[in-house]
Amino acid sequence: MKIKNCLLTFSLIVSSIITTYYATISTAQQGAAQQPAVVADNEYQVGAVLFMQKAAEFRALAYQAFNIARMRFDADFDKRNLKKLAKAERQMIRAVVVDIDETVLDNSPHQAELIKNRMPFTGSIWTAWVNRREAKPIPGAVEFLKYANSKGARVFYVSNRNEAEKQGTIDNLKAVGFPDVSDETVLVRTTESGKEARRQSIAAKHRIVLLMGDNLNDFSNVFERKSVGDRFAEVDRTRELFGEKYIVLPNAMYGDWESAIYEYGRLSEVEKTAKRNAALESY
Ligand SMILES: [Mg+2]
């Protein structure tokens, strides 16, 4: 009987050691899979993401942008305005050119995911988000673009999403009701991130009535890779165009405004934090 008890105790101890060993290994493996190589300081992003997700003011700004777009679009049908154009231009089909991210689709859940997991932006995490096809439309975007399209304008979606992300993007845009979405109208990034060549290819056959975006590069290449100060200067120089041909959507989460603070450098997370803090203007 004693030997039997000893054997039972021994086998219990052995099985408990084996279970603990495998549980530890499996937890370590899971941890390794979930833990990103670089821990990002995304705390500064919390306010920007919450503003997009929780501020009714963001919603109001988005409606304001698309309401102004509609006013400008309608004004383009005014005969007095049309008379100012050359005849050839007058006969061209109208086009409304929109950026996609943070202009017509809301990617704040992707940003929130990065904050929660303390992860930096990476192409693979971004592509995985795009392929979920879950981005919701920016308030007012679907309605305005459907209206413009119903009045005969073509809608072009000019984005720096890449070729591998194109089908997911088309599916997402269609699923939430955007009009005129096709292989031909969704112009993704191929060789360069600058959008001028794509704008020109649209302008060759259409008259671009409006450009809409959350990044100055969505409007003109004069803003590209400029310093913080030069971006201000270019906006001052072109001020008449905002609310006229250029309609801006707010994006405090990311953009060239932030890259300009980093002087477009490939910086470490620590260096970025230092640049941000150094850029703050206090009294
Ligand atoms: Mg954008």
Side-chain angles (χ1 to χ4, degrees), residues 99-104 107 158 195 213-215 218 251 254:
D99 165 56
I100 294 179
D101 297 314
E102 279 42 78
T103 298
V104 300
N107 300 292
V158 180
K195 294 181 170 181
D214 65 298
N215 192 320
D218 297 327
N251 179 8
Y254 64 87

Side-chain angles (χ1 to χ4, degrees), residues 28-45:
Q29 281 170 343
Q30 275 175 16
Q34 285 166 4
Q35 204 67 50
V38 181
V39 175
D41 172 17
N42 290 331
E43 202 51 35
Y44 79 102
Q45 287 257 320

